[in-house]
Each structure stands twice: as structure tokens, then as C-alpha cells.
Amino acid sequence: MKTTAKVWKLEKISKTTIALAGNPNSGKTTLFNAITGARQHVGNYPGITVERKEGSITIKNTRVKLIDLPGTYSLSAYSQEELVARNFLIDEKPDIVVDIVDATMLERHLYLAVQFFELGIPVVLAMNMMDDVKKQGLRIDKQKLSKLLNCPIVETIARTGQGKLELLEVAINEAKDKKKPWVPLKISYGTDIDLALDEMEKIILDHQFMTNRYPARWIALKYLENDSEIIRLGQQDSQVAEQLMVIIENVREHCLKTLNIPPEAIIADYRYGLINSILKQNIIIQEKPRHERIEFTTKLDRFLVNRYLGPVLMVAILYAMFQITFSLGEIPMGWLESFFAWISTSATKLIPEGLLQSLVVSGIIDGVGGVMGFVPLIAIMFLMISFLEDSGYMARVAYMLDRVLRIFGLHGYSAMPFIISGGIAGGCAVPGVMATRTLRSPKEKLATLLTAPFMPCGAKLPVFMLLVAAFFSEYKAQMMFSITLFAWVMALLVAKLVRSTIIRGKSTPFIMELPPYRLPTLRGIYIHTWERTWQYIKKAGTVILAVSILLWAAMTFPSLPEGQVNQFAAERQAISSSIQDNTKRELALLEISNHEGQTALRYSLAGRIGSSLEPLSQLAGFDWRTNIALVGGFAAKEVIVSTFGTAYSLGDVDPESADTLSSRIAVDPSWNKFTALSMIVFVLLYAPCVVTVVAMAKESSWRWAIFATVFNTTIGFGMAVAIYQIGTKLFI
Ligand code: GDP
Ligand code: MG
């Protein structure tokens, strides 16, 4: 008996790989979470930043591996996501694709399904959002649609998990059946294209041209669609490629001449035509009058994306979002601040005075504390953004700004990275850079990545406040507003510059339907917020720790030679014994400590770097002390004010209480209005901080991250020099 049981088990456990595909916003993530729960693994596809999510679950003796493919509208090569999805299907050949379609927008969503059919991979359709279909008073004839598409269909409501088990069962069954080779669907695209396709297919088959990887007709189709990746890969067999190119050139010319549209547009038209001809056969039946959701969305959009009112409301909503973020964030930030202050004092007490204490307190705790202090702010901001995204409003923001951003070679989706990075003063470029993920075209993404760090992030603000208070105290609000405006202008202009030079290329069309407004679920928002916040903590925590230790070392070593230290000690001794009055003595002692601190700083590596940069930096009006602060600011912009304080002999200056430092600078003979302006502009534009650079490298490549560092610094310095030179020559 025992042995049979064992054998039975061995026989029955089988494995199935299911790829989850669908348009963005079809409910993929929701369904994936509903199926896998906590059993999921999140990583990236090798070499790129497209997220790869995997989960597994065992159902009735079948071990199911579920892969959440990136959301795509098609299987062309327009974006990384599309390429990743398609290469995954082709190279890893999952047993079955579950294509999730939004049943309320069947026409749009079936476009992707048709492309799966053309590829030949076995598909099960998950017809999602069935609750919305019902609410709109619609019924969908599932049987008929399934027959016409020749593909099993399961109705789901991902939000409640309804239908997920049936879906898995059907998928597993289909996967078992279809261990045979893929059967691509042959669609007719009209005589011209069909003839070309046949001819190309023959050539491809005769030469075994990439047929080990792709179906022959599909290769031909991609050539006609002008698919950059397939054309690139085809170059390896240049003889065949050339033959194909001749054919497609002919077809293209012919199509343009007769119909005035390129083949890829004709192909798309025919695909939609196929879908329409199916849907027209009474698939969607209006049973009851339309429910309010669509009515509601249409009504709301009349205001929210109105030509004139829309932008005003958008600014108001975004402004409110920042107000809420900052006023809510202040409270936990205060707690964190006191917490780190407490750790700092405890460490000072516990560890005897000396290098170790200085390392732990100034190097580690202050550095990491400075970054962790931003966590509540960032978490709340992400919470707001997740809310705006899930509710459907973010798509409208992108839609409204697209017209403006397009002029500068950017995209509607560039708006969010800019705003998060500080487009409304006070953001942070790290999450901003991470938010560029929503950009589908690599070129627009790069242009956004490079310019988003120009925005006045929260860490730059103390520097601006310090300088504005010192030199433009009557125009505080106006100055801060102008700085923000200037950042936007620079970001857009520089984006235009790079988009018409080093990253030149067509802009991608804004393809995205405006989804209906939905009340986001708590679970969805929680997952989105947590994922992003955790990423920030991880990145910021590790990099900042390393950098603040390095910076501390650079400002500490080499330490003053013993002779000089003794000299200061002797001075102190002399004062202690000669001045009787307590307060006066304290003051005199402080003066000496400051002097010693300043001398030590100048003697340190950082001081030497600052001094050696002086001949160049003088052009913009910066002396060695400013240089140290600016070099330190590369580690984290928060460091600028505190380093400034040290360099101006004020000991440890809290960025919040910059008042005294600002009055000190105001009367310093080496400073004037133009030095201040020059520094403001430089701080705004120069190299992004290290954490941002790392984030940039992760989103693009190290090459671009380093480029941004050099390029932005050059632009910043150029502007600073111009302001300082023109200002001082003309007005002083
Ligand atoms: P993805 O972009 O495909 O991953 O889509 P998401 O899973 O993020 O879902 C997009 C939005 O649709 C979210 O606000 C979900 O809560 C919502 N959603 C997902 N499935 C359903 C559903 O079956 N019914 C309804 N009414 N909303 C859903
Ligand atoms: Mg998703």
C-alpha cells in the first residue's frame, strides 16, 4: 500500500508555467496578488529596470509558476516593456499565456490578444472587471466570443478574487493539451501586404532565417511593421535581410502612394478590423441603461480635463498634495529627528572622545540619520501618488501636460518625475528618478532622468533659504518662487537640447486610454507605497552610509600636526588662567575652538581639495570654504549648510537655525548678491547627489549616470560664472 501511494504522488505532481500578460491597468497586478498572495518574488529582468515578478502556487497536484509580465499595449519594439514581454514568451516559452483584458474596453484590450494569436502561443483570456461590466448594464456573450476567437475565456473580478480558481484550472488544462507546437493565426491584411508576406515567408523558410527562434510569418510581419529589434537581429544574415528589405521598401512605397499610410498602420487597422468584426456579432449586449461610473467619469472629466479649468485644478490638487505631505510628514520626521539626536547623545556619552566617537557620531549617525529623516516624507508622498495613480487621476495629469512637454521632446509621463523631484519645491530626486519607469520610450526616459535632478529638492531648500535670508530678505517668497520657476525652465530647455542632439529621436505617441475613475483599494495603495518606500530605504541607507563615512574621513584626515594642536592647547591654557569673567572666558575659548576647527578643516583632504579648486571656482565667486561645502553637497545636499557652518567657524550649524550663519555671510566682505545668486544657481543645477546618481545608474546605465554628473555640473558652473561675472562687472 505504502509504495503505491508514493508512486501515485510522483506521477501526479506536474509543473506548469503561466505568463500573466495584459495592457497596463487591466488588473494584472491585482490578479497576480490575489493568486499568489505573499508568495511572490520581485526582481528585475537582467540588465534592465523592468520589474520581474514571480510567484508560485500548488493547485490539485500541479505546481504553477506564475510570471507577471510588464503591462504592454502591443508586442512591437517601441518600449523595453514590450520587448521584455515578447522575448520572454519567445525564449522561455511558458506553457500558457493568461491575457487579462478589461472587459469594459474589449476593443482596445483585444488588440494585444490578437498579437498573441499571431505569434501562436496558447492563450487563455481572463475577462476582468466583470463587476464594472455589470454596473454598466452590459452583458458579454462569453461563449460566442470564445468560439469566434478560438480561445477559452474566464470571467474574473480581480479585486475580489472571483474567478481566479476557475481561471487557473482552465489555464492548467489548456497547457496540458497544448504541448504541441504553436499555431500562429493567419490574418489577412489586404492583397498588397498578404502577397508580400507570402513572398517573405518563403524566403525566410528557405534560408531558415531566424526560424529557430521565431515563426516565419511573424518575422515577415515584423519586417513590415519596421520592427527595430527584428531588423537589427536580421542583419546577422545580411544577404537574406537585404532581400527582405527590398520587398518591404516596395510595399512601403506602394502603400504610401496608394493609401498614404505606412504598412504598420495598415496592419494595425486590419487587426482592429478583425476585432470589430467579431465584436459586431452581438457580443456586447446592453441589458440595462449604462451605470453611473462611466457617466460619473464623463461628468468629472468635463471639469478635471477641461481646457481652462483642468490645469488650474491640477495645480491646486498637486499643491494640496504637497501641503498635506509636508504638514503630515513633519510630525514623524520630528520623532525621527529626536530619535537620532538621542542616539547621537548616547553615543557621545558612551564612546570616549576621540576619532571613534567622531566617526560614529558625525560620520555614521548624522549621515544615515539625515537620510532616514526623509523616510516619512517620502512614504507619505508615495502614498499620495499611489492614490492619484490608482484613482485614475494621474493619467489625466500626464494627458494635460503632454501637449506642453512634447514641445521639449518629453512626454506626458515626464511630469510626475519632475514633480516628485521637487517641481513643487521640496521633493526628492531619488524617488523622482525611480518614477521615470512609467516612461515607455528609452529616449524620453533618459531626457527626463537627466533633467529631473534640476528641481529644487528638499535638501537644496535650506541652502536657498540661507542665502535668500542673507541677501534678499525683502523678497523671500518671490525669490523661492523664481528659483522653482527657473528650475522648470532649465529642465525643459536642457531636455530640448539633449533631445535635439545626443538623444535625438522621434517622440512616442501618447497612447493611453483615460481609465475610468475608481476608488483605490487600501491593499493596492499599501503595497505600492511600501514597495517604493522600501526601495528608498535600502538604496539610501547603504550608499549614504558609505559616503558619509568617506566624507567624514576627508574632512578629518590628515589631522593637524601635533605642533599646531599643542599651540592651540597652549592658547587655551593661557586664556583659562588670564580671563576671570566666566562668560568672557567661554566666548574666548569658543573662538579658539572655532579657529582650530577651521584650521584643521583647511588642512584636511577636503580642505585641500577646496583650496585647489579655488582658482577655477573664483570665476563663479566661490572661495575654498564654499568649495568644501559644494563637494560635500555631492554626497548629500543636506551637507552643504552644515559644512558651510563648519567652514565659517560656527562649529556645528543646524540647517534649521541657519539665521546666525546667514547674518555672518551677509556681512562677510567676500560675499555679495551676485555670489549668492551664483551659488543658488549652481546648487540648483550641479551634479545630483550620490544617491540620485546611483538611482540613475539603476534606471539607465552607469555611463549615463556619470554623464549626468559631469554634464549637469558643467551647465551649473557655466550659468554660475555667467551670473557672477556679468553681475559684478555691470552692477558693482
Ligand atoms: P495593472 O496595471 O494591470 O497591474 O492593473 P492593477 O492591478 O494595478 O489594477 C488597476 C486598477 O483596477 C486598480 O485600481 C484596481 O483596484 C482596479 N481593478 C483591478 N481588477 C478589478 C476588477 O475586477 N474590478 C474593478 N472594479 N476594479 C479592478
Ligand atoms: Mg501592475
Side-chain angles (χ1 to χ4, degrees), residues 379-647:
I380 295 173
M381 190 135 73
F382 277 147
L383 191 105
M384 301 279 167
I385 287 167
S386 299
F387 185 87
L388 291 186
E389 261 173 11
D390 289 2
S391 66
Y393 185 67
M394 203 59 98
R396 270 98 185 155
V397 171
Y399 169 78
M400 283 187 278
L401 287 176
D402 187 61
R403 256 178 297 165
V404 182
L405 293 171
R406 183 165 296 275
I407 302 172
F408 299 95
L410 297 166
H411 188 272
Y413 281 140
S414 308
M416 229 39 229
F418 282 155
I419 290 169
I420 298 173
S421 301
I424 298 176
C428 173
V430 177
V433 160
M434 282 169 6
T436 57
R437 278 185 195 175
T438 44
L439 281 150
R440 301 187 158 266
S441 133
K443 289 185 174 156
E444 284 151 359
K445 176 177 173 177
L446 253 183
T448 312
L449 263 182
L450 291 179
T451 48
F454 286 162
M455 295 298 166
C457 73
K460 292 177 191 168
L461 288 186
V463 186
F464 301 151
M465 291 197 264
L466 173 81
L467 295 171
V468 168
F471 294 98
F472 308 96
S473 52
E474 302 108 276
Y475 312 105
K476 270 190 196 139
Q478 290 93 323
M479 276 302 287
M480 294 312 274
F481 181 74
S482 313
I483 291 173
T484 311
L485 201 65
F486 179 74
W488 273 95
V489 170
M490 282 307 289
L492 293 181
L493 288 181
V494 171
K496 181 74 195 172
L497 176 73
V498 293
R499 284 291 273 125
S500 35
T501 52
I502 42 176
I503 34 183
R504 184 144 85 212
K506 262 195 298 184
S507 48
T508 29
F510 188 78
I511 37 160
M512 176 184 196
E513 68 265 26
L514 297 180
Y517 290 106
R518 294 197 172 93
L519 194 64
T521 58
L522 275 180
R523 189 187 159 88
I525 290 193
Y526 160 75
I527 291 179
H528 278 150
T529 308
W530 174 244
E531 276 174 358
R532 291 165 164 180
T533 310
W534 181 237
Q535 256 172 338
Y536 173 82
I537 296 178
K538 258 196 325 205
K539 275 186 196 155
T542 44
V543 179
I544 271 289
L545 178 60
V547 168
S548 48
I549 290 176
L550 275 182
L551 195 68
W552 167 84
M555 289 174 69
T556 310
F557 300 110
S559 40
L560 277 184
E562 205 155 332
Q564 257 174 304
V565 176
N566 289 341
Q567 210 175 318
F568 281 114
E571 274 179 43
R572 250 185 228 118
Q573 197 80 52
I575 281 170
S576 301
S577 50
S578 65
I579 301 183
Q580 295 302 316
D581 184 292
N582 261 345
T583 17
K584 270 191 192 155
R585 191 174 58 225
E586 287 293 313
L587 268 179
L589 282 175
L590 188 64
E591 188 71 23
I592 291 179
S593 296
N594 284 338
H595 189 47
E596 181 175 7
Q598 196 177 5
T599 319
L601 185 60
R602 185 150 205 172
Y603 193 79
S604 73
L605 183 63
R608 290 171 199 204
I609 293 175
S611 305
S612 67
L613 287 175
E614 214 175 50
L616 182 66
S617 68
Q618 279 298 356
L619 290 174
F622 307 151
D623 68 1
W624 70 275
R625 293 172 294 191
T626 312
N627 291 349
I628 300 181
L630 291 173
V631 171
F634 176 56
K637 303 269 145 80
E638 289 91 341
V639 173
I640 298 178
V641 170
S642 58
T643 313
F644 229 43
T646 320

Side-chain angles (χ1 to χ4, degrees), residues 22-33 68 71 100 128-132 135 156-160 293 389-391 518-521 524 528:
N23 288 20
N25 276 316
S26 56
K28 241 160 27 66
T29 306
T30 313
L31 188 68
F32 181 83
N33 288 339
D68 187 17
I100 300 165
N128 195 30
M129 314 255 182
M130 284 314 289
D131 51 339
D132 277 358
K135 278 188 201 150
T156 59
I157 303 174
R159 252 190 182 179
T160 60
R293 160 138 324 129
E389 261 173 11
D390 289 2
S391 66
R518 294 197 172 93
L519 194 64
T521 58
H528 278 150

Side-chain angles (χ1 to χ4, degrees), residues 272-452:
Y272 275 118
L274 174 80
I275 296 168
N276 272 325
S277 72
I278 291 176
L279 292 182
K280 273 216 190 91
Q281 304 181 39
N282 255 344
I283 299 293
I284 304 170
I285 304 129
Q286 186 84 49
E287 288 201 314
K288 288 179 226 133
R290 286 157 79 82
H291 182 267
E292 316 101 51
R293 160 138 324 129
I294 295 299
E295 300 273 299
F296 174 69
T297 294
T298 323
K299 270 190 196 147
L300 205 56
D301 268 346
R302 225 167 273 159
F303 294 102
L304 290 181
V305 291
N306 177 287
R307 249 193 125 81
Y308 307 102
L309 196 56
V312 177
L313 286 172
M314 175 175 73
V315 171
I317 290 173
L318 294 176
Y319 184 75
M321 181 179 115
F322 271 78
Q323 279 296 318
I324 296 174
T325 304
F326 280 94
S327 46
L328 266 184
E330 229 164 68
I331 305 162
M333 269 174 79
W335 297 339
L336 272 180
E337 217 165 87
S338 340
F339 175 68
F340 277 103
W342 174 77
I343 294 194
S344 190
T345 347
S346 313
T348 315
K349 269 186 211 144
L350 281 175
I351 308 169
E353 208 178 315
L355 269 185
L356 182 67
Q357 188 201 66
S358 155
L359 169 68
V360 172
V361 175
S362 320
I364 300 175
I365 299 177
D366 284 359
V368 174
V371 177
M372 296 306 267
F374 275 102
V375 168
L377 209 63
I378 283 181
I380 295 173
M381 190 135 73
F382 277 147
L383 191 105
M384 301 279 167
I385 287 167
S386 299
F387 185 87
L388 291 186
E389 261 173 11
D390 289 2
S391 66
Y393 185 67
M394 203 59 98
R396 270 98 185 155
V397 171
Y399 169 78
M400 283 187 278
L401 287 176
D402 187 61
R403 256 178 297 165
V404 182
L405 293 171
R406 183 165 296 275
I407 302 172
F408 299 95
L410 297 166
H411 188 272
Y413 281 140
S414 308
M416 229 39 229
F418 282 155
I419 290 169
I420 298 173
S421 301
I424 298 176
C428 173
V430 177
V433 160
M434 282 169 6
T436 57
R437 278 185 195 175
T438 44
L439 281 150
R440 301 187 158 266
S441 133
K443 289 185 174 156
E444 284 151 359
K445 176 177 173 177
L446 253 183
T448 312
L449 263 182
L450 291 179
T451 48

Side-chain angles (χ1 to χ4, degrees), residues 67-307:
I67 291 114
D68 187 17
L69 291 183
T72 57
Y73 296 98
S74 92
L75 290 184
S76 50
Y78 286 137
S79 71
Q80 277 187 341
E81 279 85 354
E82 289 170 350
L83 267 181
V84 163
R86 144 176 143 187
N87 287 339
F88 178 85
L89 297 179
I90 287 164
D91 296 332
E92 303 196 27
K93 288 209 167 36
D95 298 311
I96 191 139
V97 174
V98 167
D99 179 15
I100 300 165
V101 295
D102 179 343
T104 63
M105 294 193 257
L106 270 183
E107 188 192 343
R108 274 285 175 93
H109 283 239
L110 284 178
Y111 188 73
L112 182 65
V114 167
Q115 294 181 63
F116 289 135
F117 300 153
E118 286 185 289
L119 192 58
I121 191 166
V123 177
V124 170
L125 277 192
M127 214 155 59
N128 195 30
M129 314 255 182
M130 284 314 289
D131 51 339
D132 277 358
V133 170
K134 208 157 277 159
K135 278 188 201 150
Q136 290 178 26
L138 296 173
R139 189 170 65 82
I140 296 176
D141 191 338
K142 189 180 87 171
Q143 257 83 29
K144 200 166 175 185
L145 183 61
S146 166
K147 224 172 92 196
L148 289 171
L149 290 174
N150 189 23
C151 162
I153 299 179
V154 178
E155 297 183 355
T156 59
I157 303 174
R159 252 190 182 179
T160 60
Q162 198 173 313
K164 66 176 182 185
L165 288 181
E166 191 196 339
L167 178 66
L168 283 173
E169 261 169 49
V170 172
I172 292 168
N173 256 333
E174 279 296 304
K176 267 192 203 123
D177 272 6
K178 299 210 174 170
K179 286 285 179 196
K180 45 192 176 189
W182 294 1
V183 194
L185 171 72
K186 240 171 122 170
I187 300 178
S188 166
Y189 299 102
T191 349
D192 293 342
I193 290 184
D194 283 353
L195 284 178
L197 271 179
D198 288 342
E199 194 184 341
M200 291 166 80
E201 191 180 357
K202 189 166 177 312
I203 297 174
I204 291 166
L205 282 174
D206 283 351
H207 292 85
Q208 298 284 305
F209 180 68
M210 299 198 279
T211 45
N212 54 344
R213 202 167 164 211
Y214 311 102
R217 197 178 179 81
W218 193 81
I219 300 175
L221 197 57
K222 289 295 140 185
Y223 259 91
L224 277 174
E225 283 183 291
N226 206 2
D227 186 282
S228 53
E229 160 120 326
I230 293 294
I231 290 177
R232 186 176 61 79
L233 292 174
Q235 237 112 59
Q236 282 159 10
D237 190 343
S238 56
Q239 235 177 346
V240 183
E242 230 160 78
Q243 286 184 43
L244 297 179
M245 289 312 256
V246 172
I247 300 177
I248 66 168
E249 280 314 320
N250 279 335
V251 176
R252 177 167 301 268
E253 210 174 294
H254 184 73
C255 291
L256 286 172
K257 226 189 283 168
T258 53
L259 299 165
N260 201 21
I261 37 176
E264 60 265 29
I266 298 181
I267 293 173
D269 282 352
Y270 272 92
R271 281 188 189 132
Y272 275 118
L274 174 80
I275 296 168
N276 272 325
S277 72
I278 291 176
L279 292 182
K280 273 216 190 91
Q281 304 181 39
N282 255 344
I283 299 293
I284 304 170
I285 304 129
Q286 186 84 49
E287 288 201 314
K288 288 179 226 133
R290 286 157 79 82
H291 182 267
E292 316 101 51
R293 160 138 324 129
I294 295 299
E295 300 273 299
F296 174 69
T297 294
T298 323
K299 270 190 196 147
L300 205 56
D301 268 346
R302 225 167 273 159
F303 294 102
L304 290 181
V305 291
N306 177 287
R307 249 193 125 81

